[in-house]
Amino acid sequence: MTSLFEPARAGDIALANRIVMAPLTRNRAPGAVPTPLMATYYAQRASGGLLVTEATAISHQGQGYADVPGIWSAEQVAGWKRVTDAVHAAGGKIVVQLWHVGRVSHTDLQPNNGQPVAPSAITAKTKTVLIKDGVPTFVETSAPRALDAGEIPGIVQDYRRAARNAIAAGFDGVEVHGANGYLIDQFLRAGSNQRTDDYGGSLENRTRFLLEVVRAVTEEIGAGKVGLRLSPVTPANDAKDDHPQPLFEHAVRGLGPLKLAYIHVIEGATGGPRDHQQGDQPFDYAALRKAWRDTGGDGAWMVNNGYNGTLATEAVQHGADLVAFGTPFLANPDLPRRLKENAPLNTPDKATFYGGGAKGYTDYPALA
Ligand code: 8OZ
């Protein structure tokens, strides 16, 4: 029987084990530039089979939170190079999560304090974080404006540039963030997409932006270096669709032939109940995986949300290839060893999740 501690592949990337560090927003990159402390943090966690960085903005327009990193400028690429060098020196593999927040932003964070952009001019009922006088402060997101169809190729181009920058920064690949109610997810779901052009309405139209982005990124760096994160039923950031099963099956059937390195699925409500439902049917994740496999998807199937060692072992025995851990990895730099030895876990400190310095970041102890 396959165990969590066996090697695996995600496309071109060889993994020492099946335990993945999930992307975790930490708001410790002032001016959107990765710091040396971030290199220490990721290198401490290099025993994970694969590390996925915190969500990283592909452009200034794609920014939605204070002090999250970007990957559009040379200075950001240089900052990330320190991170990838440190992880590789410690024997790990790392991909960067490529992010455009769409409507989940605030005018304070946008170029020229403009409106955030979205498929439709519908404000998300959600909050974002600004840092005021050094203190992280939750604020309502600003009203977005609907993207003109003519602007969409430019955003696809921003993803392409970010992927090229990721390779220049030494990453082993990228994960396209298609989850949690951000721009790609806003296009997918009827609750945030009321467009009447080629990007709205039918399933074919609502999945168009996702497929354009993924195709551009795979053309740029090769599909074996590209993963994608989806969250079919999460309500995060006001994401809403009453018929997620046909929607997400349609999406992965379009992705199958592209031969991605992996698909990363958040099961249930992000960071919440695994059995969360949208619409009137429980979501069938096995059917989603089958739809991807049936159309040529032969990369790794990565699952996430509320896993512990026991649940993760069961998942791997039921066909998951990789399991991503969020808060347990945040609080336990040596998580794979602790799972293997059934050792106790450090408790995550919520007060230091977002913003701050080394406290609650690089000071969680490893086992002796
Ligand atoms: C927590 C806080 C801010 C952003 C996500 C990028 O949910 C995030 C995020 C999480 O995917």
Side-chain angles (χ1 to χ4, degrees):
M1 267 194 298
T2 310
S3 101
L4 276 178
F5 308 101
E6 281 172 38
R9 289 199 76 80
D12 295 350
I13 314 167
L15 280 55
N17 60 59
R18 294 162 188 270
I19 299 163
V20 174
M21 180 181 173
L24 294 161
T25 291
R26 305 304 309 271
N27 308 72
R28 282 168 167 84
V33 179
T35 66
L37 190 64
M38 287 167 61
T40 303
Y41 163 75
Y42 284 108
Q44 285 174 342
R45 288 158 180 77
S47 65
L50 181 66
L51 314 185
V52 184
T53 70
E54 62 210 275
T56 298
I58 59 162
S59 62
H60 188 173
Q61 184 197 68
Q63 279 279 27
Y65 299 82
D67 294 356
V68 296
I71 189 154
W72 68 85
S73 75
E75 194 187 1
Q76 291 161 350
V77 170
W80 280 122
K81 185 75 170 58
R82 282 193 298 249
V83 173
T84 63
D85 283 347
V87 169
H88 290 151
K93 299 287 167 75
I94 182 165
V95 298
V96 60
Q97 196 192 42
L98 302 185
W99 193 29
H100 190 306
V101 296
R103 65 180 182 165
V104 186
S105 188
H106 189 278
T107 51
D108 281 12
L109 300 164
Q110 287 291 305
N112 308 312
N113 295 335
Q115 277 182 285
V117 300
S120 301
I122 306 168
T123 305
K125 292 186 190 67
T126 189
K127 293 195 167 160
T128 183
V129 181
L130 301 179
I131 294 183
K132 294 191 170 170
D133 302 322
V135 183
T137 310
F138 286 91
V139 295
E140 299 288 338
T141 54
S142 305
R145 67 176 179 84
L147 281 163
D148 187 89
E151 296 175 271
I152 293 176
I155 298 180
V156 173
Q157 191 58 36
D158 290 342
Y159 277 97
R160 191 187 275 275
R161 174 188 58 199
R164 185 161 62 236
N165 285 347
I167 298 304
F171 283 105
D172 297 288
V174 305
E175 174 175 295
V176 173
H177 194 345
N180 294 345
Y182 298 110
L183 185 61
I184 291 174
D185 208 18
Q186 288 159 32
F187 271 96
L188 291 174
R189 304 211 208 194
S192 44
N193 183 346
Q194 294 178 4
R195 297 178 73 94
T196 53
D197 63 3
D198 288 352
Y199 290 91
S202 65
L203 295 185
E204 186 186 358
N205 284 353
R206 282 189 275 137
T207 52
R208 188 179 308 281
F209 180 66
L210 164 69
L211 290 172
E212 286 181 354
V213 168
V214 172
R215 250 187 241 114
V217 169
T218 58
E219 275 169 26
E220 193 64 33
I221 66 171
K225 292 184 170 59
V226 179
L228 169 68
R229 195 177 209 208
L230 297 172
S231 54
V233 300
T234 197
N237 292 312
D238 205 16
K240 269 200 292 277
D241 195 287
D242 286 339
H243 306 286
Q245 194 78 43
L247 169 60
F248 283 88
E249 285 189 23
H250 185 88
V252 299
R253 269 190 234 106
L255 295 161
L258 299 180
K259 305 285 186 195
L260 296 184
Y262 69 86
I263 288 186
H264 179 179
V265 180
I266 300 170
E267 298 161 330
T270 311
R274 292 178 45 78
D275 60 358
H276 185 83
Q277 191 168 312
Q278 290 213 12
D280 50 16
Q281 302 278 331
F283 196 85
D284 184 345
Y285 296 96
L288 186 69
R289 184 172 67 201
K290 184 170 186 306
W292 188 48
R293 295 283 185 229
D294 284 351
T295 49
D298 58 359
W301 188 256
M302 185 191 297
V303 296
N304 170 244
N305 204 19
Y307 280 91
N308 58 29
T310 309
L311 282 173
T313 299
E314 274 171 32
V316 163
Q317 286 165 4
H318 289 97
D321 300 297
L322 306 171
V323 182
F325 294 82
T327 40
F329 228 136
L330 180 157
N332 296 275
D334 53 351
L335 184 68
R337 177 177 168 200
R338 289 183 192 236
L339 294 178
K340 193 166 194 174
E341 296 179 6
N342 245 314
L345 300 181
N346 299 321
T347 307
D349 170 33
K350 288 205 167 101
T352 50
F353 279 6
Y354 309 116
K359 184 169 178 292
Y361 191 53
T362 50
D363 62 354
Y364 285 104
L367 294 174

